[in-house]
Amino acid sequence: MSIAVTFTGLRERLQTLDRLEREQLPFAAALALTTTAQQIRAGLVDEMRVVFDRPTRATLNSLFVQPATKAKLEARVWIKDGRSRTGAGNLAGVEGKWGKGRAAISWLSPEVYGGARGHKGFEKMLQRKGVLGSGQFVLPGKGAPLDQFGNIKRGDLNKILSGARLFTEEGYKANAAEDASSRYFLIRRGSRPIGVAERLGRGEGTRNNIRMVLAFVAQPKYGRLLDFHGVSGRIAADLLPIEFEKALARALATRRR
């Protein structure tokens, strides 16, 4: 699940090194691998801007680089997964009511490999409350308020769920605004919940004018959208030999001084 940039393509070049160059090889190799990995990350961010529709800052900042060292000549480029101290920080288990702090891999992995996404924090909460089925997920309805990235803002989602009395925590139930509690409600088809609707007021006649803001749907499936490994491999093949020569020249210049 990572791109390991190695020196398999530089064997012939390594055979031409003299004694002084070989002495500086570990330093030069580690530097070349690290700078190549950094450029891979930059290239992947550029690719995200192309293939994703209005990617958020969290998505564009989702990659980390684990530098190579003289003892371990491997540089790692991957998505923050909540366990990597180098790039992801201490995110493991820090999900919270909204999924705050969710590791980026939870939403980017389906874009790399395809397949289905996992449940978000508030979806798990709705499952515990018995509102959302185990195979159901939540997507914005046609009437949902969306931000510039096409997502529901956390504050708006908070307002919808508390207004519909869907929080499991008593404190959030008590904090539901009076107007919100009358505007948002769980909508059902028969006995089965299918989403949350917003009451906009009376329309013509006596029927309520409503719009769906949250829809309960089957598990969304994603195709492979981000060619993570392909882009990384092409950049590595193009840049690693160049970065190695630059790093070796820097190492020799430093040694001579």
Side-chain angles (χ1 to χ4, degrees):
M1 295 178 65
S2 67
I3 294 296
V5 183
T6 63
F7 275 91
T8 55
L10 293 173
R11 291 175 181 173
E12 292 183 1
R13 175 67 181 94
L14 298 179
Q15 293 174 355
T16 68
L17 300 180
D18 60 28
R19 181 186 60 81
L20 181 60
E21 290 172 329
R22 288 183 181 276
E23 290 176 357
Q24 297 303 306
L25 180 59
F27 171 81
L31 179 60
L33 289 166
T34 300
T35 54
T36 300
Q38 291 168 343
Q39 294 189 65
I40 288 174
R41 178 176 59 183
L44 287 168
V45 171
D46 290 341
E47 183 73 4
M48 288 178 181
R49 296 182 188 277
V50 173
V51 301
F52 293 154
D53 179 22
R54 295 167 292 171
T56 64
R57 183 171 60 181
T59 294
L60 296 177
N61 292 334
S62 63
L63 305 179
F64 73 93
V65 171
Q66 180 177 314
T69 67
K70 291 190 291 185
K72 186 177 181 179
L73 294 178
E74 178 181 295
R76 186 168 184 252
V77 184
W78 189 230
I79 304 166
K80 297 175 183 178
D81 59 10
R83 294 186 299 272
S84 172
R85 183 176 57 187
T86 302
N90 185 21
L91 298 179
V94 184
E95 187 171 72
K97 299 179 182 65
W98 298 106
K100 184 178 181 180
R102 284 193 307 131
I105 197 170
S106 65
W107 73 82
L108 276 180
S109 182
E111 306 289 359
V112 175
Y113 295 107
R117 72 164 173 86
H119 284 100
K120 299 178 180 179
F122 80 94
E123 291 172 323
K124 295 177 182 177
M125 181 193 69
L126 294 178
Q127 288 180 337
R128 293 193 298 270
K129 192 174 178 66
V131 173
L132 196 67
S134 60
Q136 287 187 304
F137 291 73
V138 180
L139 291 181
K142 291 184 178 180
L146 302 178
D147 61 17
Q148 68 269 33
F149 304 110
N151 303 316
I152 299 180
K153 291 182 179 180
R154 185 177 303 172
D156 289 332
L157 184 57
N158 188 339
K159 184 177 181 180
I160 292 169
L161 294 178
S162 66
R165 305 290 184 176
L166 293 179
F167 277 109
T168 55
E169 293 81 5
E170 184 63 31
Y172 278 100
K173 290 183 181 179
N175 289 332
E178 183 178 352
D179 63 333
S181 63
S182 63
R183 287 170 55 194
Y184 298 104
F185 60 96
L186 196 64
I187 188 169
R188 302 174 183 269
R189 179 174 292 133
S191 61
R192 181 170 61 91
I194 61 172
V196 176
E198 178 184 9
R199 186 178 291 109
L200 301 177
R202 297 289 181 178
E204 295 182 3
T206 58
R207 297 187 63 183
N208 286 331
N209 183 18
I210 66 173
R211 63 182 179 183
M212 185 78 82
V213 290
L214 298 178
F216 301 166
V217 301
Q219 190 173 37
K221 303 290 184 181
Y222 297 89
R224 297 181 182 182
L225 194 59
L226 177 62
D227 185 14
F228 184 97
H229 300 289
V231 171
S232 300
R234 289 191 292 272
I235 294 175
D238 290 342
L239 296 185
L240 182 57
I242 298 172
E243 292 300 330
F244 174 69
E245 295 295 345
K246 290 164 59 177
L248 185 59
R250 174 180 171 181
L252 292 174
T254 302
R255 172 62 184 270
R256 291 189 177 105
R257 285 199 299 269

